[in-house]
Amino acid sequence: MKKSVYAVSAFALCVAGAVHAEPQAEVLHYWTSGGEAKSVAVLQEEFAANGGTWTDMPVAGGGGDAAGTALRARVLSGNAPTAAQIKGPAIQEWYEEGVLADISAVAEENGWADVLPASIASHMQCEGTWCAAPVNVHRVDWIWANADVLAANDITMPTTWEEFNAAAEKLQAAGIIPLAHGGQAWQDATVFEAVALGLLGPDGFRKAFVELDQDALTSDEMIAVFDQMRVLRGYVDPNFPGRDWNLATAMVMNGEAAFQVMGDWAKGEFLAAGKTPGEDFLCASTPGEGFLYNVDSFAMFDVDGDDKKAGQALLAELIVGTKFQEVFNLNKGSIPARVDVALDAFDSCAVLSAEDMNASSEGGSLLPSYAHGMALRGAQSGAITDVVTSHFNSDMSSEEAVQQLASAVLNSL
Ligand code: GAL
């Protein structure tokens, strides 16, 4: 396996005599919604405040599929960006292509190993070197709700899918859209994995979507997951196909819909609109035990030029710095990746997320999100999502879905 051959660090630049390098970075990312843009602006501003020149390369499209396509085109044409939003096993895939920069010197100078949980640090390392900088911890398995709509209909946040379905029936009868949803494959996958965690349990989820165990993929419990997805399909409005996730969040915000099942980047939209958790909107984990984590990160590419290498060193240092970890995550809806950032300024949803993450970590139910690229490499996660979205958008039976799921996974290996 090829290893990237150059290290990025202030020390390396000094030795190279490039002490006067002016940090530059072209950064490819997909944070273009209201809350996302406000969050990434924190990094841009901090980078500039430290003498950096940031060239923004936003690629719209929630979930990052479009950004991944754009990144591959850039790298294959020999024109890689300085840095890109890459996470999970995709980091290893890019490393294996031999195109990533080694940021170990920055990580070691700043003691990342001492302040990052092992589960996060492991995603950021490539054959013992540091190859990405973690930004946050998003939780995927959340239900968001309009507080007034629930109160007006005498509904409390559901703790089981049966309770959710009963609430949805009541809301639908009252003429309210029960579930705000965007009909994009990654959003179908997001809802699916939240349901799967609850109905399969943490061990069942791990067997199915981390270990790709064929029996788990075709179990009666997996059939029940698709059954529940069919029920949820009946609670979305006719205009859901193609809707962007943040527009679904807006439907909950304005009371047009009651619930959204989405990661806590949705909280970033509520906060950007000036909404208050516990008053305007409610948050609760989706029914069942466990915590699906989604850690955003940036990887640096093997580019030429001392200014770009200085830009990479500065970016990596800022991203894992305590100031950015607090300010960015306050806006993004996530919690800091660092364990030593106080949550005093964070809201009740963030505190709940941190508490549940710690409890899940201790209880063995802290799991990588499959839908958001943390559990599997692209071929496998894509194969699963293709079946999930095909089922959600057709009248495919649950029995057929699990058979297609098992064979799609086998064919992707
Ligand atoms: C996720 C990403 C989040 C959020 C979301 C919607 O994959 O990790 O940071 O941006 O997509 O775009």
Side-chain angles (χ1 to χ4, degrees), residues 30-31 36 61-64 85 87 136 138 186 245 265 294-296 332 372:
Y30 53 91
W31 287 332
E36 293 172 332
Q85 186 184 347
K87 60 182 172 180
N136 59 8
H138 272 304
W186 73 269
W245 68 273
W265 46 92
N294 168 31
V295 175
D296 287 314
K332 190 68 171 61
H372 290 274

Side-chain angles (χ1 to χ4, degrees), residues 28 30-31 36 61-65 67-68 71 84-94 100 120 122-124 131-138 140 186 190 193 265 293-299 301 332 369-378 381:
L28 188 153
Y30 53 91
W31 287 332
E36 293 172 332
D65 292 345
L71 177 60
Q85 186 184 347
I86 304 172
K87 60 182 172 180
I91 296 168
Q92 307 303 320
E93 294 183 280
W94 280 112
L100 297 189
I120 292 178
S122 63
H123 283 291
M124 306 299 141
C131 46
V135 167
N136 59 8
V137 180
H138 272 304
V140 177
W186 73 269
T190 300
E193 74 169 353
W265 46 92
Y293 71 80
N294 168 31
V295 175
D296 287 314
S297 51
F298 282 88
F301 280 82
K332 190 68 171 61
S369 162
Y370 117 74
H372 290 274
M374 299 304 297
L376 302 167
R377 291 187 172 215
S381 59

Side-chain angles (χ1 to χ4, degrees), residues 157-244:
M157 285 297 261
T159 60
T160 66
W161 285 109
E162 290 77 13
E163 286 176 9
F164 182 94
N165 297 346
E169 293 294 334
K170 188 174 180 183
L171 289 157
Q172 205 159 50
I176 295 165
I177 298 166
L179 180 63
H181 182 65
Q184 296 168 348
W186 73 269
Q187 294 188 62
D188 300 339
T190 300
V191 176
F192 174 81
E193 74 169 353
V195 172
L197 177 64
L199 297 185
L200 301 179
D203 291 342
F205 183 96
R206 182 181 292 109
K207 273 191 178 301
F209 299 113
V210 180
E211 298 166 11
L212 302 179
D213 176 87
Q214 284 285 309
D215 292 338
L217 291 169
T218 56
S219 65
D220 290 345
E221 292 78 11
M222 189 64 77
I223 288 174
V225 174
F226 282 102
D227 288 345
Q228 176 59 24
M229 288 301 287
R230 180 64 63 228
V231 170
L232 292 177
R233 175 67 178 77
Y235 297 144
V236 301
D237 66 290
N239 298 320
F240 84 97
R243 179 184 289 133
D244 286 332

